[in-house]
Amino acid sequence: MNTIFSEISEQYKPIISLWLLRILYDLKIYTRIDTRYGIDEYDKIFNFIGLQQLVEKYEDKTLSKKKLRKILKPIAQQHEIQSDINQGALFKNMESFGNLIGMNTTEKTLLSFCIMLNIVHVLEKATDILGSISSPCIINIFSVVLKTPANKIRKALSSDALLYRTGLLRLSREGNGYFVYQVSVMGEISEVLLDEDQPDMMKSLTRFFAPSKVANLKREDFSYVEKDFQLIYRYLKSTCKTPKKGLNILIYGLPGTGKTEMVRTLATLLNMPLYEVAVDIDTDNALDDEDQCSRMDSYRLCQQVLKRKTKTLILFDEIEDAFIRDGERERFGIRTNTDAKKGSFNHLLESNPLPTLWVSNVINHIDEAIIRRFDYVMELKIPPKSVRIKIIKKHTSALAVSEQWINKISINESLAPALISRAVRVVSALNENDQIKNEASMERILSNTLQAMGYDKNLSNPHKNVLTYCLEALNPDYNLTNLQTSLQQKPQGGFCLYGPSGTGKSEFAHQIAKVLDKPLLIKRASDLLDPYIGMTERHIREMFEQAHEESALLLLDEADSFLRDRTLSRESWEVAQVNELLTQMEQFNGLFFCTTNLMDVLDQAALRRFDLKIKFDYLKPEQTLLLFKQVLSDPQQTGTDLDPTLIHNIQGLQGVTPGDFAIAVKQNRFSLTPLTPTKLLETLKKEIKFKRQAAFTDIGFMPHYYKK
């Protein structure tokens, strides 16, 4: 940002000349000027203060320090008696800005000098003659150059003073260095204060903070979090009667869940002005660590400027990295802040005069000591399916889409409100009146975004029945018909379904959800396991919370990943995962099914938590024949005419599961021909043979029917 003096407006030259003369004469810096080889190196400084003749006269000649002092003295004295040297937009704007935030004369003078120091090259060059100096020396230098008592300078630059707290001006306390590098001015404040056309200071500060946008949502849009919404609303409303210092609320959750809109909605309901800290301090560049520091300074400035405005709220959005500074380190994969600045963050959250709502997509990196400083912490999750349907209907009300399609895509748990609204905006711009085209365009836009965010991009029910469901074609050791009837009367309980793969365990859970007309929430190990300590337990807890909120049947596939015998665990986190799942199972009052192929490795305490443990075994001969006939009677197949020999061969199959029949049907689709009895029998034999080979070579498991 540095510029040469010729580019500085003439109105600033008197004050800059005065500062230069105080540096040269009062600080006796002229004694450090080496003129043995001429004074060309300093000609810009001398030219600026009106000593062009001196430069010309002594060019290529030695100038004694005594003679130089004699020349500078009358000029310095003359500048000291000048009046009205504080001219120009900087000083005019500084008065307006200073009155706005409560700056005293010393603070305004310090900030004005440091702004000029950063943009006037000749002023920086003069301070460079001082060489490397320490922080205590800077206080004395300021005192001399600005003709202000050192104690006032020291107080104005202290860490608890206004300049430091707002980030407007900070003095480095990290060793020695050149003067210009020992002081730092808040980014972009120079542009604000140097603006020649400054009609309204508050408008100029919108680059740091600005009035919030109007809320697009209403209170009923957050009905699924009514308890949290109501508590936050009442708490903020109480500040209207009794202002409270250090009121901070943290709202976090996945991107697009409506966190920012919730804050705006709260402000509208409370009839309180809401100001947002700017997200992009430098709109031309992505935020880096320095920008994040600027954002925190912008927040401090916002609090200082608006603190006199009672009944006002502040929104600090996208705070993901706002609490991370130098000194951060990783421990067990979690970033933690270990430097002394953590204490300043704690102080920040305890001293803010105006209520602040902090919004973040993630909070794992924020130190627990900082999180404890928030009065209220709320996670805003993606709405449950019933609410997602309402949101989709609301946003697509002007689009030609079917209710059936809305119900279909609402099954995706990652479908946040913001994703829906943006997709609708794009499709609406296409002006298509065709329902099929609109639905296809919406699906493509949503799927692409979900995939880019790392979520499941499937917008329809991924579970498609290859076979017509037949309860009689299952071989459990419990009466499933009675269980189904019982659950229709009281849909509650925990059930462990175990047995070989493909025996219909998961399919039975799907059937129960369909019969009870309940949403089915399916979780697998890949959905819950997390490399960071404590996060798997958190996902397990959230799984049960989601099932409760959506009144869904919860199905945990691959349950052996979480219910392994704790005596076999090698790591403490493995035990913690089992403990968390057991705790949640005890507290859950809904329907919980888990499936496993490895019953022998499950924790005994876990098994006692289940109301029923049901084994699903290989099909009996008569069940194999029943399912064989059913598959052939399905549409596009050849029929069920079977000769006695074929029936005998079918019933002679051992180790057959409903999953084997499903594989046979899928494989036949590639042949483009109907599935004949002979073809179906041969496919089943191949699957059985493959399982036998896999049992011996891969997992060492040998079912009873293979033992000879």
Side-chain angles (χ1 to χ4, degrees), residues 48 163 250 267 273 436 451 566 594 601:
F48 196 95
L163 289 176
L250 173 61
I436 296 177
Q451 185 178 29
R566 283 169 288 186
C594 76
V601 301

Side-chain angles (χ1 to χ4, degrees), residues 24 133 143 272 295 316 321 423 497 601 610 637 653 670:
L24 290 171
I133 54 178
S143 178
M272 297 174 71
R295 289 199 68 208
F316 198 128
D321 293 321
L497 313 182
V601 301
F610 292 104
Q637 308 304 351
L653 295 174
F670 300 109

Side-chain angles (χ1 to χ4, degrees), residues 298-315:
S298 295
Y299 165 72
R300 293 185 178 97
L301 180 62
C302 176
Q303 287 279 354
Q304 184 67 28
V305 171
L306 301 174
K307 69 177 183 179
R308 297 181 182 88
K309 292 180 176 288
T310 58
K311 301 180 182 179
T312 300
L313 300 176
I314 308 298
L315 167 60

